[in-house]
Amino acid sequence: VQDLAACYGFVDGPGFAEERLDVSREALSRIDPSWPCFTCISSEHASAMRDRGDVEASLAFVDRQIARLVERGERDAILDFPRDRVESLLSLGRYDEALVFVDQCEKRGRKDAHHRLSRRLDRARLLARLERCDEALAQLPAIAEIEATPVFYWLWADAATELAQRGALPNDAGLGRVLHGFI
């Protein structure tokens, strides 16, 4: 179910939002928080809600799923939904709150290279929107750091776009080559 919803999302997230909601809703109706896939399918559902334009509802859904996990004794369940929380807060313009959450994930969340890199990208995106461009540039990974992980391309492109719009990153042929390479 997660793979199907993710495929729909990658092909055309908003265009397949209803199908993603249907398939994730059906799966979630058959499982509970004890299942290992509960978080992943919940995340797919929240992502589809955002793509449909229901950002506040997506954040509320994630909070309800977190509460269900906490009831099961998973005290740090909020750290299980980093992408959903950051994307919702970012879409709602709640950049400072999102930055605090990213810092919380840094302290208490997963420590592997993938998650550390993801947090750097999120910081770069948020700091750029807060017009703290020097800090954002310091967080923005070099292309060599992300080229093996295409899921990071859109995060990097988002940060670069924000920085270029603020004049902190040249909007030149070099940036064009990077973005074309991502495509």
Side-chain angles (χ1 to χ4, degrees):
V1 169
Q2 180 187 7
D3 291 346
L4 176 61
C7 286
Y8 278 145
F10 285 127
V11 170
D12 181 358
F16 286 108
E18 294 305 321
E19 289 85 351
R20 292 161 60 205
L21 288 168
D22 289 345
V23 71
S24 60
R25 189 179 298 115
E26 179 184 354
L28 288 169
S29 73
R30 297 174 184 208
I31 64 174
D32 62 50
S34 69
W35 287 57
C37 59
F38 177 82
T39 300
C40 298
I41 295 173
S42 295
S43 184
E44 293 298 335
H45 192 82
S47 174
M49 293 174 82
R50 282 192 313 278
D51 279 349
R52 188 174 67 178
D54 296 336
V55 180
E56 289 276 3
S58 174
L59 190 55
F61 171 78
V62 167
D63 286 342
R64 286 192 305 275
Q65 300 303 80
I66 289 168
R68 292 181 67 192
L69 289 164
V70 169
E71 286 174 8
R72 280 198 78 246
E74 295 184 35
R75 184 174 63 85
D76 284 337
I78 194 169
L79 304 174
D80 291 342
F81 293 89
R83 177 66 36 224
D84 297 298
R85 183 160 297 282
V86 168
E87 294 310 318
S88 292
L89 294 172
L90 194 143
S91 293
L92 295 168
R94 293 162 54 181
Y95 310 136
D96 287 317
E97 186 179 344
L99 199 53
V100 168
F101 175 69
V102 171
D103 289 342
Q104 180 184 14
C105 289
E106 185 72 31
K107 290 176 187 160
R108 295 177 26 221
R110 294 180 182 167
K111 307 292 185 205
D112 59 89
H114 177 89
H115 285 88
R116 284 193 316 270
L117 197 52
S118 180
R119 288 189 293 265
R120 281 181 58 200
L121 286 160
D122 286 336
R123 271 197 203 90
R125 297 166 68 209
L126 293 161
L127 290 166
R129 284 171 170 83
L130 289 166
E131 299 189 22
R132 295 165 52 185
C133 295
D134 289 340
E135 293 173 77
L137 284 167
Q139 290 294 314
L140 190 66
I143 297 303
E145 293 178 81
I146 67 161
E147 66 188 346
T149 312
V151 74
F152 288 148
Y153 294 177
W154 72 273
L155 299 170
W156 193 97
D158 180 62
T161 298
E162 292 294 327
L163 289 164
Q165 287 175 344
R166 288 162 178 75
L169 188 70
N171 187 5
D172 59 10
L175 179 58
R177 277 192 298 278
V178 168
L179 297 176
H180 187 267
F182 288 170
I183 294 168

